[in-house]
Amino acid sequence: MKLKEVDRTAMQAWSPAQNHPIYLATGTSAQQLDATFSTNASLEIFELDLSDPSLDMKSCATFSSSHRYHKLIWGPYKMDSKGDVSGVLIAD
């Protein structure tokens, strides 16, 4: 059973477990071609909203990139004064 899907040839990383809402980062995968043979590259952030009945994840941000990615890592960074954890996304 599918809950959500993102139709991309991409590397992916989930936001840190302490963060809410939950986000998914996708970066165009290096050494891969999509069905259109596009040479464009991007980094996209999607929000996981399980209350939405559709299979599509809501795109929150898209950044053009001159490079494709081998790996994405999204980890916790620090707490702010309210106790919320921010994160850092590392793309290689």
Side-chain angles (χ1 to χ4, degrees):
M1 175 170 105
K2 286 185 184 179
L3 295 176
K4 296 289 177 181
E5 66 183 5
V6 176
D7 187 20
R8 303 282 186 279
T9 304
M11 303 307 295
Q12 72 279 339
W14 290 100
S15 60
Q18 304 91 334
N19 287 21
H20 293 286
I22 300 169
Y23 293 100
L24 175 68
T26 64
T28 306
S29 183
Q31 301 174 353
Q32 299 280 333
L33 289 175
D34 63 13
T36 66
F37 297 99
S38 171
T39 58
N40 297 333
S42 64
L43 180 67
E44 295 181 84
I45 308 294
F46 295 91
E47 181 180 352
L48 177 63
D49 181 2
L50 296 175
S51 66
D52 179 6
S54 75
L55 286 177
D56 296 327
M57 291 182 71
K58 178 184 163 192
S59 178
C60 298
T62 302
F63 306 95
S64 294
S65 173
S66 58
H67 301 284
R68 291 177 170 234
Y69 303 99
H70 294 277
K71 186 180 232 180
L72 292 178
I73 300 171
W74 196 343
Y77 179 59
K78 64 178 182 176
M79 277 192 186
D80 65 13
S81 60
K82 295 186 280 185
D84 295 329
V85 176
S86 63
V88 60
L89 180 61
I90 300 167
D92 172 35

